[in-house]
């Protein structure tokens, strides 16, 4: 159940709307289901509708008029709450809706239970799936009702009602969600033939700029260059930036003035102070690899940085975890700007969905995501080129990180964020399959000869005994074998690469062990070939492979072992 609460100053106007059956086509058989004393006049069940409606308004406004004579009546004296059931819920009876209305006015402080001075209220039902509660805020002692945080208290009460009545349990938030477009904004966009409202369009634009900006100054510079967007930057007397607001060209009000949105009105984390906090916590990615003049592949760096996030979510402080989830959102936001056109729709949908998962009540320690943020910014100058394997390997790990983020939110009971992460996963996985198809097919076409395949299978058996059959049965096995062969031809030791790839992160949650290993091998093989001395040092640091089953020993790579396992077809 969902409650919507508002205030007003026209009791008669609200009652007129609730009982109107001419202009509101969904209003059928309007009538009272409950009232403050159970005896309120019901225009919907009266032969003289106009007279009864006038009498009902007078009864509701009685205390308001009394308080007004004493100068104590609130200006916004009308309290209006609609309570709507889910479309999948059964139709509740009038008696059940009456019980729900009494619990809502009691929980919100409008008419506390067993309080003879509670406010006057009525519950009107004019459709099968919802009711409206209309109340005046003046109590019997002529004081104003204390209904602070009424939305939260009503929402908590409705959560209990859903369980008790066996109704659909709504995914509830923590008040960190971005403000939804109003109905007027949606209608305006529809009339203009636009898929998004101005608010949504500007929110997406700002988030993408934040994802590529390297400093607060860079963000404002980028924003000034966006075509079709107006910007107004406010400053303190000292000259420092206080905030900003944006508008779309051509989006004007009745006075032909631009309709402005401050960053905070677009989303809680898009105010200038929040953006500045994030953009001052960025490490610049190294220009060259350690000990080499070669420029590192930005996609490989971003993937390596992303692989460390699940560990931080599972073992770090909540503030550190929240910072990395926010940084992950920035990484997903930047992807539609970099990828080929056929991948943009899915990735833009993923970014839009995951936006809700980037915020919670936990305050992020932004400094702890410096390295990942720096790696994401390096992608700004690295659009997808070549065979697209860099993008594919980044999307592969992004899917796993989003899953880890969903688990973290689940532990903290962030229901809306969990739902958003799962929604983003659908689009990320679709984009990954599209992005990975080409590189994997190209690699598989370079599948090495049978004897080489057998040697690689033997290495898999020794180094990854728990995953060997899973790898060899995977359609991506030929691509993995090709990646190992190409790395070996480039001078790398395939056994050490496999050992290193296996140690980067657990493979237990990989959707395709062979694909995950392929991307890791390619990323590791892109590095400079280590010297003989460096190889010897690496071999001493890596862990000896563990046996597949207790009581069995595995042959060392230098000794002949059992025949390589065969694939089941």
């Amino acid at each position: 159940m969902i409650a919507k609460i508002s205030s007003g100053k026209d009791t008669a106007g609200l009652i007129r709307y609730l009982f109107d059956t001419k202009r509101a086509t969904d209003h059928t058989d309007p009538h009272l289901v409950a009232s403050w004393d159970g005896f309120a006049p019901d225009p919907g069940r009266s032969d003289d509708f106009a007279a009864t409606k006038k009498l009902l308004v007078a009864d509701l406004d009685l205390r308001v008029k009394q308080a007004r004579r004493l100068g104590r009546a609130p200006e916004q004296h009308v309290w209006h709450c609609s309570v709507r059931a889910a479309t999948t819920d059964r139709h509740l009876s009038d008696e059940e809706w009456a019980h729900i209305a009494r619990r809502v006015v009691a929980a919100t402080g409008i008419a506390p239970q067993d309080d003879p001075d509670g406010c006057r209220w009525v519950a009107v039902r004019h459709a099968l799936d919802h009711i409206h509660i209309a109340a005046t805020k003046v109590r019997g002692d002529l004081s104003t009702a204390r209904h602070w945080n009424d939305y939260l208290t009503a929402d908590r009460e409705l959560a209990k009602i859903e369980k008790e009545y066996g109704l659909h349990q709504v995914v509830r938030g923590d008040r960190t969600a971005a403000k939804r477009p109003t109905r007027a904004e949606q209608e305006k966009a529809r009339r203009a033939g636009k898929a998004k409202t101005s608010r949504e369009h500007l929110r997406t634009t700002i988030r993408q700029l934040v994802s590529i900006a390297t400093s607060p100054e860079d963000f404002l510079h980028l924003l000034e260059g966006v075509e079709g967007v107006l910007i107004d930057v406010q400053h303190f007397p000292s000259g420092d930036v206080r905030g900003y607001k944006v508008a779309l060209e051509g989006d004007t009000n009745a006075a032909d003035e631009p309709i402005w949105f401050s960053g905070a009105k677009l989303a809680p984390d898009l105010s200038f102070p929040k953006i500045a906090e994030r953009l001052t916590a960025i490490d610049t990615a190294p220009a060259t690899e350690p000990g080499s003049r070669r420029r590192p592949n930005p996609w490989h760096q971003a993937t390596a940085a992303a692989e460390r996030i699940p560990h931080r979510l599972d073992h770090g402080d909540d503030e550190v975890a929240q910072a990395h989830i926010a940084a992950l959102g920035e990484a997903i936001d930047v992807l539609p700007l970099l990828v080929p056109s056929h991948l943009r729709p899915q990735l833009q949908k993923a970014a839009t969905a995951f936006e809700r998962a980037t915020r919670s009540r936990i305050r992020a320690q932004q400094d702890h995501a410096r390295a990942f943020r720096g790696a994401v910014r390096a992608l700004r100058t690295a659009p997808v080129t070549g065979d697209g394997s860099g993008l594919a390997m980044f999307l592969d790990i992004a899917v796993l990180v989003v899953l880890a983020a969903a688990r973290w939110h689940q532990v903290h009971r962030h229901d809306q964020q969990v739902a958003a992460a799962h929604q983003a996963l659908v689009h990320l996985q679709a984009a990954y399959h599209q992005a990975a198809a080409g590189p994997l097919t190209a690699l598989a076409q370079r599948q090495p000869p049978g004897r080489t395949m057998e040697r690689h299978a033997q290495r898999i058996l020794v180094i990854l005994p728990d995953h060997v059959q899973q790898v060899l049965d995977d359609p991506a096995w030929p691509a993995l074998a090709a990646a190992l062969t190409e790395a070996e031809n480039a001078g790398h030791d395939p056994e050490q690469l496999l050992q290193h790839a296996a140690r980067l992160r657990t493979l237990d949650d990989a959707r395709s062990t062979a694909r995950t290993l392929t991307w890791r091998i390619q990323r590791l093989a892109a590095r400079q070939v280590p010297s003989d001395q460096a190889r010897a040092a690496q071999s001493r640091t890596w862990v000896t492979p563990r046996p597949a089953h207790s009581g069995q020993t595995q042959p060392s790579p230098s000794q002949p072992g059992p025949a390589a396992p065969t694939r089941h077809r």
Side-chain angles (χ1 to χ4, degrees), residues 431-468:
Y432 168 75
H433 288 304
Q434 292 181 58
L440 288 174
T441 300
L443 269 175
Q445 290 172 349
R446 302 195 293 272
Q447 176 179 339
R451 296 192 65 178
T452 304
M453 296 280 287
E454 291 177 4
R455 284 193 293 110
H456 292 323
Q458 180 64 32
R459 291 179 174 119
I460 299 291
L461 171 65
V462 172
I463 297 169
L464 296 166
D466 291 343
H467 299 278
V468 58

mmCIF file of all heavy atoms in Angstrom, residues 431-468:
data_model
loop_
_atom_site.group_PDB
_atom_site.id
_atom_site.type_symbol
_atom_site.label_atom_id
_atom_site.label_comp_id
_atom_site.label_asym_id
_atom_site.label_seq_id
_atom_site.Cartn_x
_atom_site.Cartn_y
_atom_site.Cartn_z
ATOM 1 N N ALA A 431 23.911 -6.289 -22.028
ATOM 2 C CA ALA A 431 24.996 -5.567 -22.695
ATOM 3 C C ALA A 431 26.266 -6.406 -22.731
ATOM 4 O O ALA A 431 26.993 -6.402 -23.734
ATOM 5 C CB ALA A 431 25.251 -4.249 -21.966
ATOM 6 N N TYR A 432 26.531 -7.131 -21.642
ATOM 7 C CA TYR A 432 27.737 -7.970 -21.617
ATOM 8 C C TYR A 432 27.693 -9.040 -22.707
ATOM 9 O O TYR A 432 28.678 -9.254 -23.429
ATOM 10 C CB TYR A 432 27.901 -8.632 -20.249
ATOM 11 C CG TYR A 432 28.953 -9.721 -20.279
ATOM 12 C CD1 TYR A 432 30.302 -9.409 -20.323
ATOM 13 C CD2 TYR A 432 28.584 -11.067 -20.316
ATOM 14 C CE1 TYR A 432 31.265 -10.406 -20.387
ATOM 15 C CE2 TYR A 432 29.539 -12.062 -20.382
ATOM 16 C CZ TYR A 432 30.879 -11.721 -20.415
ATOM 17 O OH TYR A 432 31.836 -12.707 -20.495
ATOM 18 N N HIS A 433 26.569 -9.716 -22.833
ATOM 19 C CA HIS A 433 26.474 -10.773 -23.844
ATOM 20 C C HIS A 433 26.675 -10.213 -25.248
ATOM 21 O O HIS A 433 27.316 -10.855 -26.090
ATOM 22 C CB HIS A 433 25.125 -11.476 -23.731
ATOM 23 C CG HIS A 433 24.998 -12.349 -22.512
ATOM 24 N ND1 HIS A 433 25.880 -13.368 -22.227
ATOM 25 C CD2 HIS A 433 24.102 -12.333 -21.482
ATOM 26 C CE1 HIS A 433 25.541 -13.948 -21.086
ATOM 27 N NE2 HIS A 433 24.467 -13.339 -20.624
ATOM 28 N N GLN A 434 26.162 -9.013 -25.501
ATOM 29 C CA GLN A 434 26.379 -8.398 -26.806
ATOM 30 C C GLN A 434 27.849 -8.024 -26.996
ATOM 31 O O GLN A 434 28.422 -8.233 -28.063
ATOM 32 C CB GLN A 434 25.520 -7.135 -26.943
ATOM 33 C CG GLN A 434 24.020 -7.397 -27.007
ATOM 34 C CD GLN A 434 23.247 -6.088 -27.157
ATOM 35 O OE1 GLN A 434 23.443 -5.338 -28.090
ATOM 36 N NE2 GLN A 434 22.377 -5.807 -26.198
ATOM 37 N N ALA A 435 28.459 -7.459 -25.946
ATOM 38 C CA ALA A 435 29.841 -6.992 -26.053
ATOM 39 C C ALA A 435 30.832 -8.141 -26.127
ATOM 40 O O ALA A 435 31.875 -8.028 -26.783
ATOM 41 C CB ALA A 435 30.177 -6.092 -24.864
ATOM 42 N N ALA A 436 30.529 -9.259 -25.449
ATOM 43 C CA ALA A 436 31.480 -10.368 -25.364
ATOM 44 C C ALA A 436 31.424 -11.287 -26.566
ATOM 45 O O ALA A 436 32.391 -12.018 -26.831
ATOM 46 C CB ALA A 436 31.233 -11.173 -24.089
ATOM 47 N N ALA A 437 30.330 -11.277 -27.294
ATOM 48 C CA ALA A 437 30.167 -12.238 -28.391
ATOM 49 C C ALA A 437 31.287 -12.125 -29.415
ATOM 50 O O ALA A 437 31.891 -13.132 -29.816
ATOM 51 C CB ALA A 437 28.803 -12.026 -29.053
ATOM 52 N N GLY A 438 31.601 -10.907 -29.853
ATOM 53 C CA GLY A 438 32.633 -10.722 -30.871
ATOM 54 C C GLY A 438 34.014 -11.151 -30.419
ATOM 55 O O GLY A 438 34.667 -11.974 -31.087
ATOM 56 N N PRO A 439 34.531 -10.623 -29.294
ATOM 57 C CA PRO A 439 35.869 -11.020 -28.837
ATOM 58 C C PRO A 439 36.004 -12.515 -28.576
ATOM 59 O O PRO A 439 37.025 -13.113 -28.923
ATOM 60 C CB PRO A 439 36.052 -10.215 -27.550
ATOM 61 C CG PRO A 439 35.143 -9.048 -27.701
ATOM 62 C CD PRO A 439 33.970 -9.543 -28.475
ATOM 63 N N LEU A 440 34.979 -13.136 -27.956
ATOM 64 C CA LEU A 440 35.074 -14.569 -27.668
ATOM 65 C C LEU A 440 35.059 -15.390 -28.957
ATOM 66 O O LEU A 440 35.796 -16.379 -29.080
ATOM 67 C CB LEU A 440 33.921 -14.991 -26.756
ATOM 68 C CG LEU A 440 34.003 -14.516 -25.304
ATOM 69 C CD1 LEU A 440 32.730 -14.872 -24.554
ATOM 70 C CD2 LEU A 440 35.221 -15.113 -24.593
ATOM 71 N N THR A 441 34.233 -14.995 -29.915
ATOM 72 C CA THR A 441 34.195 -15.709 -31.193
ATOM 73 C C THR A 441 35.525 -15.591 -31.914
ATOM 74 O O THR A 441 36.038 -16.574 -32.466
ATOM 75 C CB THR A 441 33.064 -15.155 -32.074
ATOM 76 O OG1 THR A 441 31.816 -15.336 -31.397
ATOM 77 C CG2 THR A 441 33.018 -15.871 -33.411
ATOM 78 N N ALA A 442 36.101 -14.378 -31.905
ATOM 79 C CA ALA A 442 37.391 -14.179 -32.563
ATOM 80 C C ALA A 442 38.484 -15.022 -31.916
ATOM 81 O O ALA A 442 39.326 -15.614 -32.605
ATOM 82 C CB ALA A 442 37.762 -12.695 -32.528
ATOM 83 N N LEU A 443 38.466 -15.097 -30.594
ATOM 84 C CA LEU A 443 39.462 -15.924 -29.893
ATOM 85 C C LEU A 443 39.255 -17.403 -30.200
ATOM 86 O O LEU A 443 40.218 -18.142 -30.458
ATOM 87 C CB LEU A 443 39.356 -15.689 -28.386
ATOM 88 C CG LEU A 443 40.216 -14.589 -27.775
ATOM 89 C CD1 LEU A 443 39.877 -14.431 -26.296
ATOM 90 C CD2 LEU A 443 41.703 -14.893 -27.930
ATOM 91 N N ALA A 444 38.005 -17.851 -30.162
ATOM 92 C CA ALA A 444 37.717 -19.262 -30.405
ATOM 93 C C ALA A 444 38.155 -19.683 -31.804
ATOM 94 O O ALA A 444 38.555 -20.843 -32.018
ATOM 95 C CB ALA A 444 36.227 -19.532 -30.207
ATOM 96 N N GLN A 445 38.106 -18.765 -32.759
ATOM 97 C CA GLN A 445 38.545 -19.087 -34.114
ATOM 98 C C GLN A 445 40.057 -19.298 -34.189
ATOM 99 O O GLN A 445 40.557 -19.884 -35.162
ATOM 100 C CB GLN A 445 38.120 -17.974 -35.075
ATOM 101 C CG GLN A 445 36.612 -17.919 -35.309
ATOM 102 C CD GLN A 445 36.186 -16.710 -36.113
ATOM 103 O OE1 GLN A 445 36.974 -15.779 -36.335
ATOM 104 N NE2 GLN A 445 34.933 -16.707 -36.570
ATOM 105 N N ARG A 446 40.756 -18.845 -33.174
ATOM 106 C CA ARG A 446 42.217 -19.052 -33.112
ATOM 107 C C ARG A 446 42.556 -20.192 -32.160
ATOM 108 O O ARG A 446 43.630 -20.228 -31.572
ATOM 109 C CB ARG A 446 42.903 -17.761 -32.667
ATOM 110 C CG ARG A 446 42.607 -16.574 -33.584
ATOM 111 C CD ARG A 446 43.571 -15.429 -33.354
ATOM 112 N NE ARG A 446 43.450 -14.795 -32.054
ATOM 113 C CZ ARG A 446 42.629 -13.786 -31.777
ATOM 114 N NH1 ARG A 446 41.806 -13.325 -32.711
ATOM 115 N NH2 ARG A 446 42.603 -13.247 -30.572
ATOM 116 N N GLN A 447 41.621 -21.102 -31.995
ATOM 117 C CA GLN A 447 41.815 -22.244 -31.103
ATOM 118 C C GLN A 447 43.086 -23.007 -31.486
ATOM 119 O O GLN A 447 43.302 -23.322 -32.656
ATOM 120 C CB GLN A 447 40.601 -23.169 -31.189
ATOM 121 C CG GLN A 447 40.718 -24.447 -30.367
ATOM 122 C CD GLN A 447 39.460 -25.308 -30.498
ATOM 123 O OE1 GLN A 447 38.407 -24.810 -30.852
ATOM 124 N NE2 GLN A 447 39.590 -26.601 -30.218
ATOM 125 N N PRO A 448 43.939 -23.309 -30.515
ATOM 126 C CA PRO A 448 45.205 -23.991 -30.832
ATOM 127 C C PRO A 448 44.980 -25.455 -31.189
ATOM 128 O O PRO A 448 43.883 -26.006 -30.999
ATOM 129 C CB PRO A 448 46.000 -23.839 -29.536
ATOM 130 C CG PRO A 448 44.961 -23.737 -28.470
ATOM 131 C CD PRO A 448 43.824 -22.979 -29.087
ATOM 132 N N PRO A 449 46.039 -26.130 -31.694
ATOM 133 C CA PRO A 449 45.928 -27.556 -32.043
ATOM 134 C C PRO A 449 45.573 -28.422 -30.835
ATOM 135 O O PRO A 449 45.689 -27.996 -29.686
ATOM 136 C CB PRO A 449 47.322 -27.898 -32.587
ATOM 137 C CG PRO A 449 47.925 -26.588 -32.959
ATOM 138 C CD PRO A 449 47.360 -25.575 -32.027
ATOM 139 N N GLY A 450 45.188 -29.651 -31.113
ATOM 140 C CA GLY A 450 44.728 -30.558 -30.071
ATOM 141 C C GLY A 450 45.738 -30.794 -28.970
ATOM 142 O O GLY A 450 45.389 -30.829 -27.786
ATOM 143 N N ARG A 451 47.028 -31.001 -29.331
ATOM 144 C CA ARG A 451 48.035 -31.288 -28.305
ATOM 145 C C ARG A 451 48.219 -30.086 -27.382
ATOM 146 O O ARG A 451 48.426 -30.251 -26.178
ATOM 147 C CB ARG A 451 49.360 -31.653 -28.972
ATOM 148 C CG ARG A 451 49.275 -32.947 -29.798
ATOM 149 C CD ARG A 451 50.644 -33.442 -30.203
ATOM 150 N NE ARG A 451 51.433 -33.845 -29.039
ATOM 151 C CZ ARG A 451 52.656 -34.359 -29.107
ATOM 152 N NH1 ARG A 451 53.236 -34.535 -30.296
ATOM 153 N NH2 ARG A 451 53.304 -34.696 -28.020
ATOM 154 N N THR A 452 48.137 -28.873 -27.951
ATOM 155 C CA THR A 452 48.243 -27.676 -27.111
ATOM 156 C C THR A 452 47.035 -27.574 -26.188
ATOM 157 O O THR A 452 47.159 -27.205 -25.014
ATOM 158 C CB THR A 452 48.342 -26.427 -27.994
ATOM 159 O OG1 THR A 452 49.450 -26.574 -28.892
ATOM 160 C CG2 THR A 452 48.541 -25.174 -27.160
ATOM 161 N N MET A 453 45.863 -27.904 -26.717
ATOM 162 C CA MET A 453 44.663 -27.898 -25.886
ATOM 163 C C MET A 453 44.809 -28.871 -24.714
ATOM 164 O O MET A 453 44.414 -28.564 -23.581
ATOM 165 C CB MET A 453 43.435 -28.274 -26.721
ATOM 166 C CG MET A 453 43.073 -27.299 -27.827
ATOM 167 S SD MET A 453 42.178 -25.851 -27.238
ATOM 168 C CE MET A 453 40.566 -26.555 -26.865
ATOM 169 N N GLU A 454 45.396 -30.035 -24.975
ATOM 170 C CA GLU A 454 45.584 -31.022 -23.916
ATOM 171 C C GLU A 454 46.538 -30.502 -22.845
ATOM 172 O O GLU A 454 46.328 -30.729 -21.643
ATOM 173 C CB GLU A 454 46.107 -32.324 -24.517
ATOM 174 C CG GLU A 454 45.084 -33.061 -25.376
ATOM 175 C CD GLU A 454 45.669 -34.312 -26.021
ATOM 176 O OE1 GLU A 454 46.842 -34.618 -25.730
ATOM 177 O OE2 GLU A 454 44.955 -34.961 -26.798
ATOM 178 N N ARG A 455 47.598 -29.798 -23.276
ATOM 179 C CA ARG A 455 48.537 -29.245 -22.301
ATOM 180 C C ARG A 455 47.842 -28.202 -21.421
ATOM 181 O O ARG A 455 48.043 -28.177 -20.200
ATOM 182 C CB ARG A 455 49.738 -28.609 -23.014
ATOM 183 C CG ARG A 455 50.737 -29.625 -23.550
ATOM 184 C CD ARG A 455 52.053 -28.965 -23.963
ATOM 185 N NE ARG A 455 51.905 -28.092 -25.112
ATOM 186 C CZ ARG A 455 52.000 -26.768 -25.050
ATOM 187 N NH1 ARG A 455 52.223 -26.163 -23.886
ATOM 188 N NH2 ARG A 455 51.851 -26.033 -26.140
ATOM 189 N N HIS A 456 47.017 -27.357 -22.044
ATOM 190 C CA HIS A 456 46.296 -26.358 -21.246
ATOM 191 C C HIS A 456 45.289 -27.029 -20.309
ATOM 192 O O HIS A 456 45.107 -26.595 -19.160
ATOM 193 C CB HIS A 456 45.569 -25.377 -22.169
ATOM 194 C CG HIS A 456 46.487 -24.479 -22.951
ATOM 195 N ND1 HIS A 456 47.645 -23.966 -22.420
ATOM 196 C CD2 HIS A 456 46.399 -23.981 -24.229
ATOM 197 C CE1 HIS A 456 48.247 -23.199 -23.323
ATOM 198 N NE2 HIS A 456 47.505 -23.201 -24.429
ATOM 199 N N ALA A 457 44.636 -28.077 -20.780
ATOM 200 C CA ALA A 457 43.685 -28.798 -19.922
ATOM 201 C C ALA A 457 44.398 -29.400 -18.721
ATOM 202 O O ALA A 457 43.863 -29.401 -17.594
ATOM 203 C CB ALA A 457 42.982 -29.886 -20.729
ATOM 204 N N GLN A 458 45.612 -29.920 -18.939
ATOM 205 C CA GLN A 458 46.388 -30.470 -17.834
ATOM 206 C C GLN A 458 46.716 -29.379 -16.814
ATOM 207 O O GLN A 458 46.665 -29.612 -15.597
ATOM 208 C CB GLN A 458 47.680 -31.095 -18.381
ATOM 209 C CG GLN A 458 48.581 -31.701 -17.305
ATOM 210 C CD GLN A 458 47.928 -32.871 -16.603
ATOM 211 O OE1 GLN A 458 47.142 -33.603 -17.213
ATOM 212 N NE2 GLN A 458 48.210 -33.045 -15.336
ATOM 213 N N ARG A 459 47.031 -28.190 -17.303
ATOM 214 C CA ARG A 459 47.333 -27.082 -16.393
ATOM 215 C C ARG A 459 46.090 -26.706 -15.574
ATOM 216 O O ARG A 459 46.187 -26.401 -14.382
ATOM 217 C CB ARG A 459 47.830 -25.879 -17.198
ATOM 218 C CG ARG A 459 49.200 -26.090 -17.838
ATOM 219 C CD ARG A 459 49.629 -24.881 -18.652
ATOM 220 N NE ARG A 459 50.989 -25.045 -19.147
ATOM 221 C CZ ARG A 459 51.342 -25.078 -20.426
ATOM 222 N NH1 ARG A 459 50.400 -24.953 -21.375
ATOM 223 N NH2 ARG A 459 52.596 -25.219 -20.784
ATOM 224 N N ILE A 460 44.944 -26.701 -16.228
ATOM 225 C CA ILE A 460 43.703 -26.391 -15.510
ATOM 226 C C ILE A 460 43.464 -27.425 -14.410
ATOM 227 O O ILE A 460 43.078 -27.088 -13.282
ATOM 228 C CB ILE A 460 42.502 -26.364 -16.482
ATOM 229 C CG1 ILE A 460 42.673 -25.291 -17.560
ATOM 230 C CG2 ILE A 460 41.196 -26.156 -15.716
ATOM 231 C CD1 ILE A 460 42.595 -23.884 -17.049
ATOM 232 N N LEU A 461 43.706 -28.705 -14.723
ATOM 233 C CA LEU A 461 43.514 -29.782 -13.753
ATOM 234 C C LEU A 461 44.380 -29.580 -12.527
ATOM 235 O O LEU A 461 43.939 -29.755 -11.384
ATOM 236 C CB LEU A 461 43.820 -31.132 -14.405
ATOM 237 C CG LEU A 461 43.861 -32.343 -13.465
ATOM 238 C CD1 LEU A 461 42.488 -32.583 -12.861
ATOM 239 C CD2 LEU A 461 44.345 -33.579 -14.210
ATOM 240 N N VAL A 462 45.624 -29.179 -12.742
ATOM 241 C CA VAL A 462 46.574 -29.037 -11.642
ATOM 242 C C VAL A 462 46.282 -27.782 -10.820
ATOM 243 O O VAL A 462 46.302 -27.816 -9.585
ATOM 244 C CB VAL A 462 48.023 -28.998 -12.191
ATOM 245 C CG1 VAL A 462 49.020 -28.661 -11.078
ATOM 246 C CG2 VAL A 462 48.378 -30.335 -12.833
ATOM 247 N N ILE A 463 46.002 -26.693 -11.499
ATOM 248 C CA ILE A 463 45.893 -25.403 -10.817
ATOM 249 C C ILE A 463 44.484 -25.133 -10.308
ATOM 250 O O ILE A 463 44.305 -24.520 -9.248
ATOM 251 C CB ILE A 463 46.354 -24.279 -11.773
ATOM 252 C CG1 ILE A 463 47.832 -24.479 -12.125
ATOM 253 C CG2 ILE A 463 46.140 -22.898 -11.164
ATOM 254 C CD1 ILE A 463 48.323 -23.608 -13.257
ATOM 255 N N LEU A 464 43.477 -25.611 -11.019
ATOM 256 C CA LEU A 464 42.082 -25.368 -10.638
ATOM 257 C C LEU A 464 41.303 -26.675 -10.592
ATOM 258 O O LEU A 464 40.352 -26.887 -11.354
ATOM 259 C CB LEU A 464 41.417 -24.404 -11.632
ATOM 260 C CG LEU A 464 41.986 -22.988 -11.686
ATOM 261 C CD1 LEU A 464 41.488 -22.264 -12.929
ATOM 262 C CD2 LEU A 464 41.588 -22.216 -10.444
ATOM 263 N N PRO A 465 41.678 -27.593 -9.712
ATOM 264 C CA PRO A 465 41.024 -28.905 -9.705
ATOM 265 C C PRO A 465 39.525 -28.842 -9.432
ATOM 266 O O PRO A 465 38.766 -29.657 -9.949
ATOM 267 C CB PRO A 465 41.761 -29.658 -8.588
ATOM 268 C CG PRO A 465 42.338 -28.581 -7.719
ATOM 269 C CD PRO A 465 42.688 -27.459 -8.632
ATOM 270 N N ASP A 466 39.082 -27.854 -8.644
ATOM 271 C CA ASP A 466 37.661 -27.774 -8.315
ATOM 272 C C ASP A 466 36.815 -27.245 -9.473
ATOM 273 O O ASP A 466 35.590 -27.355 -9.443
ATOM 274 C CB ASP A 466 37.456 -26.865 -7.093
ATOM 275 C CG ASP A 466 38.014 -27.490 -5.826
ATOM 276 O OD1 ASP A 466 38.253 -28.717 -5.840
ATOM 277 O OD2 ASP A 466 38.219 -26.761 -4.841
ATOM 278 N N HIS A 467 37.467 -26.662 -10.484
ATOM 279 C CA HIS A 467 36.729 -26.042 -11.578
ATOM 280 C C HIS A 467 37.025 -26.683 -12.925
ATOM 281 O O HIS A 467 36.513 -26.215 -13.946
ATOM 282 C CB HIS A 467 37.076 -24.544 -11.657
ATOM 283 C CG HIS A 467 36.731 -23.760 -10.429
ATOM 284 N ND1 HIS A 467 35.476 -23.290 -10.172
ATOM 285 C CD2 HIS A 467 37.489 -23.388 -9.369
ATOM 286 C CE1 HIS A 467 35.471 -22.637 -9.014
ATOM 287 N NE2 HIS A 467 36.684 -22.679 -8.511
ATOM 288 N N VAL A 468 37.838 -27.732 -12.919
ATOM 289 C CA VAL A 468 38.356 -28.240 -14.188
ATOM 290 C C VAL A 468 37.242 -28.673 -15.140
ATOM 291 O O VAL A 468 37.220 -28.291 -16.317
ATOM 292 C CB VAL A 468 39.364 -29.386 -13.947
ATOM 293 C CG1 VAL A 468 38.742 -30.542 -13.160
ATOM 294 C CG2 VAL A 468 39.931 -29.879 -15.268
#
